[in-house]
């Protein structure tokens, strides 16, 4: 096949497609057996989309007359889809390292929250920060996520709680979206906590009557792009009825429902999300059996966050029960000042060790299912013709090393590629063993 193409990856020991038949998501048995080719190659076109995957000799013959902007020999290495981080809070000022010491001494999340720490501490610092200060820190965090293999990241507002600061955060996310290599799914999370001086009912009315109409106006004008709406549905924060009102109002202006639920107390958030047609619900440490069944029926993704349960010493989400019931299980880092982790390979490792997921299930959860949770599985999450050419090359002969080597991604990830262009090349991979 003649013509000019952007990228050829040749002779991969393993080419991990994840999906091979255009699946939107993988669940039950399908999640346990992702598609993998051996001794395979991949071609990305000038438009940044995958044009072909297949056995190396077949691709070599098919594209014998083609020219490529770049050719990478992947002999002895593995190629995987770029990882998808389905839940982060990456725009903020003021770290909370002092609270980590409090947690280690026995303080609970809600005890710190009620003492003026937690979200309110970050809100105060984020309100005081300039847009440029927030953007600079945000871009640095995104770069660290990219180097750890994430090529699509969900990014929330939620440390403003007033209209002015929430819009400032969303502008920062929009400016980054237009200027960085990593893909971004933007989430309005103005209902992350109840602002000081307001009741939950007053905050709910403010969001519905003031925040969301302004958001709709800015979306229609093209000034910002927002994809999802989020609420922290929790005892002492936003109750079930307030959550329903906010999420429904967001849905009516075209936002996907993707919210925090059943984290610290059983709230029937999963049942509510299924009823509202939510795309995804995160956390779910306290989800009920009925909620799990409702999510499976509604094809509502469960975004599980093993870092949060680990760092807050919460009970782990019941991943096995969800998988067995047919829930679409995705993973996220929950990167925020309270759970400081950029690395989806480490998240996958924790999901396997602490939530009893298999490595295959964790991979599906961090690729195609995380993309589904963001409404992006038609373009991201697997290596199939027509999808965006976002992928990783790792310096190992089996892809499982990305999970097995806890904290080892810095020596393992050789290349990160977005739309067929190398956006990160690890100079150390050629000089150090990944074993």
């Amino acid at each position: 096949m003649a013509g000019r193409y952007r990228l050829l990856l040749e002779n991969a020991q393993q080419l991990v497609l994840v999906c091979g038949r255009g699946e939107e998501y993988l669940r039950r048995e399908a999640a346990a057996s992702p598609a993998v080719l051996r001794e395979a190659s991949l071609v990305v076109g000038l438009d940044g989309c995958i044009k072909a995957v297949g056995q190396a000799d077949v691709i070599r013959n098919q594209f014998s007359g083609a020219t490529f902007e770049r050719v990478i020999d992947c002999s002895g290495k593995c190629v995987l889809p770029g990882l998808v981080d389905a839940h982060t809070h990456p725009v903020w000022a003021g770290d909370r390292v002092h609270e980590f010491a409090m947690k280690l001494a026995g303080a609970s999340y809600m005890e710190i929250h009620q003492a003026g720490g937690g979200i309110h501490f970050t809100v105060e610092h984020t309100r005081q920060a300039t847009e440029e200060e927030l953007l600079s820190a945000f871009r640095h965090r995104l770069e660290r996520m990219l180097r750890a293999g994430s090529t699509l990241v969900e990014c929330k507002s939620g440390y403003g709680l007033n209209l002015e600061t929430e819009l400032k955060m969303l502008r920062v996310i929009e400016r980054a979206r237009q200027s960085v290599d990593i893909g971004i799914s933007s989430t309005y999370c103005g209902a992350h906590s109840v602002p000081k001086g307001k009741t939950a009912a007053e905050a709910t009315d403010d969001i519905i009557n003031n925040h969301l109409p302004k958001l709709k106006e800015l979306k229609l004008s093209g000034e910002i792009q927002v994809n999802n709406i989020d609420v922290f549905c929790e005892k002492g924060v936003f109750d079930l009825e307030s959550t329903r009102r906010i999420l429904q109002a967001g849905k009516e202006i075209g936002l996907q429902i993707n919210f925090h639920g059943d984290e610290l107390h059983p709230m029937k958030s999963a049942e509510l999300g299924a009823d509202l047609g939510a795309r995804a619900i995160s956390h779910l440490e306290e989800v009920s059996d009925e909620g799990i069944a409702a999510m499976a029926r509604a094809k509502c993704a469960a975004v599980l966050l093993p870092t949060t349960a680990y760092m807050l010493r919460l009970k782990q989400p019941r991943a096995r029960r969800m998988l067995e019931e047919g829930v679409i299980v995705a993973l996220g880092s929950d990167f925020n000042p309270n759970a400081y982790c950029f690395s989806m390979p480490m998240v996958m490792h924790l999901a396997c060790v602490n939530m009893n997921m298999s490595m295959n299930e964790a991979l599906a959860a961090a690729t195609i299912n995380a993309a589904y949770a963001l409404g992006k599985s038609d373009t991201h999450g697997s290596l199939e013709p027509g999808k965006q050419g976002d992928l990783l090359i790792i310096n190992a002969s089996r892809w499982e090393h990305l999970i097995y080597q806890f904290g080892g991604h810095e020596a393992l990830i050789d290349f990160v590629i977005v739309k067929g262009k190398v956006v990160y090349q690890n100079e150390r991979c050629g000089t150090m063993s990944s074993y």
Side-chain angles (χ1 to χ4, degrees):
M1 187 181 293
R4 185 166 177 80
Y5 297 86
R6 182 168 288 173
L7 178 68
L8 169 64
L9 302 184
E10 284 191 299
N11 304 316
Q13 180 90 10
Q14 292 184 319
L15 182 61
V16 185
L17 309 179
V18 177
C19 299
R21 298 186 300 276
E23 298 95 333
E24 276 189 280
Y25 51 79
L26 297 178
R27 58 179 177 173
R28 291 196 173 97
E29 294 78 13
S33 53
V36 180
L37 298 179
R38 288 166 178 77
E39 305 300 333
S41 298
L42 175 148
V43 174
V44 180
L46 295 175
D47 61 356
C49 293
I50 297 169
K51 299 305 175 186
V53 296
Q55 299 305 136
D57 56 346
V58 173
I59 297 294
R60 191 177 302 114
N61 291 334
Q62 186 180 350
F63 290 87
S64 59
T67 57
F68 299 92
E69 291 183 355
R70 183 154 187 178
V71 177
I72 300 176
D73 181 7
C74 298
S75 298
K77 299 181 180 182
C78 296
V79 178
L80 300 92
L83 304 177
V84 181
D85 190 341
H87 184 122
T88 80
H89 301 260
V91 182
W92 46 269
D95 70 59
R96 301 204 319 246
V97 65
H98 60 287
E99 290 182 9
F100 188 53
M102 294 168 68
K103 291 190 201 82
L104 295 177
S108 73
Y109 177 88
M110 289 308 291
E111 285 169 348
I112 293 169
H113 180 80
Q114 288 160 1
I119 290 172
H120 289 301
F121 178 89
T122 306
V123 166
E124 182 181 336
H125 286 77
T126 305
R127 286 179 177 179
Q128 292 170 0
T130 67
E131 192 169 312
E132 295 303 323
E133 288 169 340
L134 291 174
L135 179 61
S136 176
F138 179 39
R139 289 172 65 101
H140 175 69
R141 292 164 190 156
L142 289 173
E143 178 64 25
R144 290 180 69 180
M145 291 176 182
L146 186 77
R147 288 175 175 231
S150 293
T151 56
L152 175 62
V153 178
E154 185 264 2
C155 300
K156 303 179 191 293
S157 70
Y159 292 121
L161 307 185
N162 59 25
L163 180 57
E164 177 188 0
T165 313
E166 288 296 313
L167 292 180
K168 177 172 69 174
M169 295 180 71
L170 291 171
R171 283 195 303 270
V172 165
I173 294 170
E174 179 65 18
R175 289 175 65 185
R177 189 184 65 80
Q178 294 180 10
S179 62
V180 300
D181 295 311
I182 199 167
I184 289 174
S185 179
S186 176
T187 299
Y188 164 76
C189 189
H192 195 196
S193 185
V194 178
K196 289 181 179 179
K198 282 189 175 162
T199 65
E202 290 169 339
T204 299
D205 289 340
D206 185 36
I207 288 166
I208 292 170
N209 298 327
N210 298 307
H211 291 215
L212 292 179
K214 185 63 176 178
L215 212 54
K216 180 180 179 181
E217 176 190 322
L218 294 174
K219 273 169 53 72
L220 288 172
S221 71
E223 191 172 327
I224 58 173
Q225 183 183 104
V226 183
N227 307 103
N228 316 290
I229 185 163
D230 192 354
V231 176
F232 187 17
C233 181
E234 183 54 69
K235 184 178 178 181
V237 192
F238 290 93
D239 65 16
L240 210 60
E241 186 52 35
S242 296
T243 299
R244 178 188 292 275
R245 290 181 59 208
I246 294 168
L247 294 177
Q248 185 61 47
K251 186 177 181 180
E252 288 169 3
I253 66 167
L255 301 178
Q256 293 182 129
I257 296 174
N258 189 330
F259 72 110
H260 292 60
D262 294 325
E263 177 184 0
L264 304 174
H265 297 91
M267 299 287 294
K268 296 192 179 296
S269 302
E271 293 90 328
L272 172 65
D275 184 51
L276 290 175
R279 187 72 183 192
I281 306 170
S282 292
H283 284 289
L284 299 166
E285 288 87 350
E286 298 287 347
V287 69
S288 67
D289 291 346
E290 294 78 13
I292 290 172
M295 289 181 69
R297 287 193 300 270
K299 297 181 181 177
C300 173
V303 180
L304 305 184
L305 310 170
T307 49
T308 313
Y310 165 71
M311 293 181 192
L312 295 183
R313 296 168 170 169
L314 304 175
K315 73 178 187 183
Q316 296 289 332
R318 291 186 290 154
R320 286 256 53 90
R321 176 64 180 260
M322 295 179 201
L323 289 161
E324 289 160 6
E325 290 290 324
V327 175
I328 301 161
V329 173
L331 291 171
S333 69
D334 197 17
F335 172 77
N336 72 80
N338 185 54
Y340 207 101
C341 177
F342 294 108
S343 169
M344 285 301 291
M346 293 180 76
V347 167
M348 289 190 285
H349 181 104
L350 288 172
C352 294
V353 173
N354 290 340
M355 301 195 317
N356 299 317
M357 293 176 71
S358 70
M359 287 190 285
N360 287 345
E361 289 165 342
L363 179 67
T367 53
I368 191 66
N369 289 357
Y372 174 86
L374 303 179
K376 295 272 192 181
S377 62
D378 57 334
T379 53
H380 294 74
S382 63
L383 300 182
E384 298 176 274
K387 287 200 171 182
Q388 191 164 302
D390 292 3
L391 41 96
L392 312 179
I393 302 172
I394 68 166
N395 190 28
S397 59
R398 290 181 56 143
W399 71 263
E400 292 95 338
H401 277 276
L402 192 61
I403 298 175
Y404 161 67
Q405 294 190 25
F406 188 52
H409 59 269
E410 288 189 1
L412 269 173
I413 296 175
D414 203 348
F415 293 88
V416 179
I417 294 166
V418 173
K419 297 180 182 176
K421 292 185 177 179
V422 173
V423 296
Y424 170 62
Q425 182 173 355
N426 188 350
E427 302 296 342
R428 297 167 66 194
C429 264
T431 61
M432 61 193 294
S433 170
S434 60
Y435 298 100

